[in-house]
Structure formats: C-alpha cells, structure tokens
C-alpha cells in the first residue's frame, strides 16, 4: 500500500438503538461517518429498517436509519417497520419474521440494514475493506441468550456483504481504547458501556512503554439491563394500566384478569412490533368483547393496529431523558384517538428501577471479582452511553468509586472510535472476544 493510499480501519458499533461507524487512518486519526438527512449531519444511524412495496407484488424495498423512520411516518405504502432487532440476535425462539411474501432470518435483517448503512455513508466505507472491527455485547440481551447462535448470525450477515474477515470485539473494550487516548500515565480503568439492550463492563490495565500504548484485559461482565429496561418500567407503571393491565374480562360465569403477557409485549418495542403477525392482536380483539372495561383494551388495539408504538416509545424515552435533569415530568402521548397523560416524579422512577440498579451493581462487583481487584484499585471509571446520565446510575458509581474518578465520553461515538483504533493496534486479533479472554487467562 502506497503512502497515497493509507490503510483505513473501520469500527462498527451496531447498537440496539443506534449504530455508529468510525474510520481510523494509520496515523491514528479517527472520525465518525456523518449522515446527511433533513438538512442536518448525524453521526448516529438509527438501528431501524422499513420495508415497503410501491404496489402489491412489486417486491420489497428497504430503507434504514432516519430514512426508515421517515418512510414509516409518511405511511404512503404498506410497510413493515423493525426497530431494536438486535434484541433478537441471541434468541433461539426467533427463527424468521414475515416481510410481505418473504421470510427473513435475523441475518437477513442485519444484512439489509448494513446495506442501507453503507449506501448512506457517502461512499466513505465498504465492507470489502481489509480491516473491519465489529462491536458485540459481553452478554447479549434476552432471558436465556445463546451467544454462539448470536455470533453465528452476526458472521453470516457480514459474510454476505464480503466481510467474512471481520473481527468481533467486546463493546466496552472498544470504549476503553477510545478513552485510553486521554491517559497520561499508567492506569487501571473500569469501562461501563450502557446501551439500549445491555450494559457491559470491562476492566483494563493500560500502560505505556517506549511511547506505545499497551493494554491488558483483566475482566469482562455484562447484563441484559440498560436503557430499554428503564423505558419498560415507565411503560409498565404509566402506560399499561391505562391500556387495561390489571383489569378483567368475563369468561362464562367467571371474572378473570386480563393476561399480562400482552403487556410484556407492549413494554418491549421489538415484541410490540410483532403483535400484528403473531396472533396477539386477534386475541386482544376477542378479550375486548368480554372485558369489564372494554375502552381500555380498544385503546391498546388502536396502538397496535395503527402502528403507534414508535410514537409511544419516543414519548416514553423523552420522559426518561427529561427525568435526568428534572424532579418531575408531564408524560403525554396522543395518537389515533388515544390520549395518555401522567405526572412522573424522579422519586417514583427511581423506585421502579431500584432492583435494576441493584443488579447493575452486582454485575460491577462481578467484573471486579473476575479482574481480581477491589474498587479502591480502580483509578479511572469511564462511563459511556445515554443511560450513564440517569442520576441513579451515576450515584451507583459515585458511591463505589468517588465522583473524582468518574469520567464520561461521547455517549454515541466512543465505542466505534475505539473499535477503529483497535484495527491499527500491533496485534488487533488479540482483542477479539475470544482472544481477550485468552489473554486475561494467561495474564
């Protein structure tokens, strides 16, 4: 490769909510790909897909990112909208989903999404590039995640795009490499990466020798609790009761509670999007005919039938974000004749997520135990991801490590930057998920 054609390393942070692509040149300069949409430049590409047909039988077209949302909101065609589909990666119960007349596996969905990502990247990157590093969670989302299945699906999707050579690195390790550029001396660093579906933690030891940065992974841990979980709590306590949760229906001479499974789907975006096709909507209509309070179920049906889930979840997420800066917020959702309003206090929100915070704390203890160190031996704590701004999360780390050791980075770009930089490290394959574990074991 000539000096006129520098080697470019690509880092891809495929997230539950957002995806970021970063490019690092061999001189260690790194930048995120920007996407022009709506007269603005964005460094994040929403992890969403919209399939549609211009006319029945014409064949499905697909758009991703903000263009998918735009297509969905315009609603000029029959469409299928998918968001947060990363949550299905490690689910053995998810085999395919119907998109018009074709069934899509997870790898089909991911490959379609990645094609739109590259298309809107302005020709600045391609999957044939020799150095591609892809982030992956320490622990995939789901009640019983199958890691081997998830990675098989990831590889199948990237292979279809000519990137069978891609390496896979734990997301917090990518964040650690991004943060390490700030270090002026040797340090043991805990990286906490809060995504949409999972929260992942890594302990890394960074040192410099002869001007070169050296890194040693000491421990990794993850848990399926993150931003989407906190959204779930708001839906469960504020929205679901307004749509019939806790109410009853009549069955012959008995009065029975409305099944809670439908509200579990309501509180999880990726499941709500499936309710039209898996028979749940039909069952809701049957329940509404015998419900004690049918109007509540009818509003639930409207949200599913009119595909109002995206707007509902945007309102929920906005309320959660606002609670990071305010003691209370006025939640309001209106659409399709459905009107839901409620005051949410930070005190109540923190009570709803208290068990989740405790489990996050237990996972932090786990990663410290795996690294063989105490909280006192951690010199820096690097927090990344939007959920790191939730006051209860911040308090968890401040109480364990002290405010003076807490540092934050760009909530969206840190991981992708680090993944791209890993591609130019002396031994990039050492940082693959399996390689990092082997290195730690041999340390």
């Amino acid at each position: 490769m000539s000096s006129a054609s520098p080697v470019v390393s690509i880092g891809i942070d495929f997230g539950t909510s957002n995806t970021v692509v970063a490019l690092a040149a061999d001189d260690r300069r790194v930048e995120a790909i920007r996407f022009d949409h709506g007269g603005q430049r964005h460094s994040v590409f929403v992890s969403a897909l919209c399939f549609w047909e211009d006319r029945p039988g014409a064949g499905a077209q697909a758009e991703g990112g903000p263009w998918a949302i735009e297509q969905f909101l315009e609603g000029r065609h029959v469409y299928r909208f998918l968001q947060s589909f990363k949550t299905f990666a490690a689910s053995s119960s998810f085999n395919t989903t119907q998109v018009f007349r074709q069934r899509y596996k997870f790898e089909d969905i991911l490959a379609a999404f990645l094609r739109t990502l590259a298309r809107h990247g302005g020709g600045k990157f391609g999957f044939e590039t020799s150095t591609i590093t892809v982030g992956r969670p320490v622990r995939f989302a789901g009640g019983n995640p199958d890691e081997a299945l998830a990675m098989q699906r990831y590889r199948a999707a990237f292979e279809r795009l000519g990137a069978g050579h891609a390496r896979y690195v734990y997301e917090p390790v990518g964040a650690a490499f991004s943060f390490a550029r700030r270090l002026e001396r040797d340090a043991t660093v805990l990286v906490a990466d809060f995504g949409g579906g999972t929260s992942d933690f890594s302990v890394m030891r960074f040192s410099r020798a002869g001007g070169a940065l050296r890194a040693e992974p000491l421990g990794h841990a993850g848990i399926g609790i993150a931003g989407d979980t906190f959204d779930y709590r708001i839906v469960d306590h504020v929205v679901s009761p307004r749509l019939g949760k806790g109410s009853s229906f009549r069955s012959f001479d008995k009065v029975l509670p409305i099944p809670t499974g439908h509200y579990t789907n309501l509180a999880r975006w990726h499941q709500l999007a499936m309710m039209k096709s898996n028979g749940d909507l039909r069952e809701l209509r049957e329940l509404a005919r015998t419900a004690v309070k049918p109007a509540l179920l009818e509003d639930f049906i409207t949200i599913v039938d009119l595909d109002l889930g995206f707007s509902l979840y945007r309102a929920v997420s906005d309320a959660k974000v606002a609670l990071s800066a305010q003691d209370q917020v006025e939640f309001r959702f209106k659409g399709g004749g459905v009107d839901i309003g409620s005051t949410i206090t930070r005190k109540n929100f923190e009570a709803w997520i208290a068990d989740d915070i405790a489990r996050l704390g237990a996972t932090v203890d786990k990663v410290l135990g795996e690294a063989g160190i105490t909280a006192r031996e951690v010199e820096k704590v690097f927090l990344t991801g939007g959920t790191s701004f939730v006051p209860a999360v911040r308090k968890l780390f401040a109480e364990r490590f002290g405010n003076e050791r807490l540092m934050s980075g760009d909530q969206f770009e840190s991981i992708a930057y680090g993944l791209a930089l890993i591609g130019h490290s002396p031994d990039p394959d050492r940082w693959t998920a399996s390689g990092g574990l082997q290195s730690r074991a041999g340390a």
Side-chain angles (χ1 to χ4, degrees):
M1 185 74 67
S2 69
S3 58
S5 302
V7 176
V8 174
S9 171
I10 299 177
I12 301 176
D13 176 21
F14 164 53
T16 303
S17 304
N18 298 292
T19 295
V20 180
V21 179
L23 307 180
D26 48 11
D27 61 2
R28 310 288 289 180
R29 286 181 300 166
V30 60
E31 63 176 356
I33 294 291
R34 308 292 171 180
F35 304 92
D36 294 317
H37 178 264
Q40 296 182 341
R41 304 203 79 195
H42 306 270
S43 63
V44 299
F45 195 84
V46 179
S47 300
L49 264 178
C50 187
F51 295 93
W52 76 94
E53 289 184 325
D54 290 326
R55 63 181 186 280
Q61 300 183 60
E63 264 297 5
W67 289 270
I69 294 173
E70 180 179 61
Q71 187 73 33
F72 165 70
L73 293 177
E74 288 179 354
R76 293 180 298 184
H77 307 281
V78 176
Y79 57 81
R80 182 69 192 281
F81 185 74
L82 299 174
Q83 191 175 11
S84 299
F85 56 88
K86 180 180 177 180
T87 309
F88 292 118
S91 172
S92 58
S93 62
F94 178 82
N95 294 313
T96 62
T97 188
Q98 189 80 27
V99 178
F100 302 115
R101 283 154 296 282
Q102 186 175 349
R103 301 211 61 90
Y104 277 68
K105 298 179 180 179
F106 176 85
E107 47 266 45
D108 299 323
I109 297 170
L110 178 54
F113 171 74
L114 293 170
R115 288 189 187 99
T116 70
L117 180 72
R119 186 170 72 245
H120 289 293
K124 293 183 178 179
F125 78 99
F127 295 101
E128 72 285 350
T129 303
S130 61
T131 303
I132 296 180
T133 305
V134 181
R136 54 146 294 182
V138 174
R139 184 186 188 277
F140 282 90
N144 187 29
D146 186 333
E147 177 181 325
L149 176 62
M151 293 313 303
Q152 175 186 322
R153 289 169 166 174
Y154 268 48
R155 292 188 181 96
F158 279 92
E159 283 173 1
R160 292 180 188 185
L161 303 176
H165 55 284
R167 65 177 59 86
Y168 299 87
V169 172
Y170 287 138
E171 290 159 356
V173 173
F177 266 78
S178 178
F179 170 72
R181 294 179 299 166
R182 305 187 198 177
L183 292 175
E184 297 178 353
R185 60 181 180 84
D186 297 357
T188 299
V189 179
L190 168 64
V191 180
D193 166 37
F194 299 96
T198 63
S199 293
D200 297 309
F201 308 94
S202 287
V203 177
M204 307 281 291
R205 178 65 185 171
F206 289 99
S207 59
R208 291 190 180 276
L213 180 69
R214 297 182 59 188
E216 179 186 357
L218 303 180
H220 305 293
I223 188 169
I225 291 175
D228 287 355
T229 308
F230 293 172
D231 289 349
Y232 177 108
R233 303 306 175 199
I234 293 176
V235 173
D236 195 42
H237 287 86
V238 176
V239 179
S240 291
R242 171 61 181 75
L243 300 179
K245 183 178 181 181
S247 64
S248 305
F249 72 102
R250 294 183 178 87
S251 178
F252 298 104
D253 58 345
K254 296 181 180 180
V255 177
L256 302 173
I258 299 290
T260 59
H262 297 302
Y263 298 96
T264 300
N265 291 340
L266 172 67
R268 292 190 170 97
W269 165 259
H270 60 287
Q271 295 288 357
L272 180 63
M274 301 292 176
M275 289 184 72
K276 267 189 175 181
S277 59
N278 63 10
D280 284 351
L281 182 58
R282 182 175 63 253
E283 186 174 333
L284 280 176
R285 295 188 194 280
E286 294 171 356
L287 285 169
R289 285 196 287 270
T290 58
V292 174
K293 297 180 179 180
L296 302 183
L297 271 294
E298 291 294 345
D299 281 350
F300 191 174
I301 290 166
T302 296
I303 287 174
V304 178
D305 201 27
L306 300 184
D307 296 295
L308 299 177
F310 177 80
S311 299
L312 172 63
Y313 268 79
R314 185 155 57 181
V316 168
S317 181
D318 288 347
K320 178 188 68 177
V321 171
L323 284 169
S324 292
Q326 304 171 32
D327 290 331
Q328 71 176 43
V329 298
E330 296 300 321
F331 172 80
R332 194 68 181 270
F333 167 76
K334 295 181 71 174
V338 180
D339 190 344
I340 304 173
S342 179
T343 299
I344 307 175
T345 66
R346 185 188 291 177
K347 181 178 180 181
N348 284 340
F349 176 61
E350 290 184 348
W352 300 339
I353 66 173
D355 288 345
D356 301 318
I357 296 295
R359 292 178 64 194
L360 287 173
T363 309
V364 172
D365 293 339
K366 179 180 178 181
V367 76
L368 294 177
E370 186 172 326
I373 62 173
T374 65
R376 189 172 299 177
E377 294 173 89
V378 175
E379 294 157 277
K380 298 289 182 183
V381 179
F382 181 53
L383 306 176
T384 186
T387 301
S388 65
F389 294 104
V390 172
V393 173
R394 197 87 181 179
K395 181 181 178 183
L396 168 69
F397 286 87
E399 288 178 345
R400 274 175 164 75
F401 302 100
N403 272 314
E404 69 281 0
R405 283 186 273 174
L406 304 188
M407 303 185 73
S408 298
D410 185 283
Q411 60 177 302
F412 294 119
E413 297 178 15
S414 298
I415 294 172
Y417 274 36
L419 294 171
L421 290 169
I422 284 172
H424 283 311
S425 63
D427 183 11
D429 289 332
R430 179 178 184 238
W431 302 108
T432 58
S434 59
L437 289 170
Q438 292 165 359
S439 297
R440 186 183 70 250

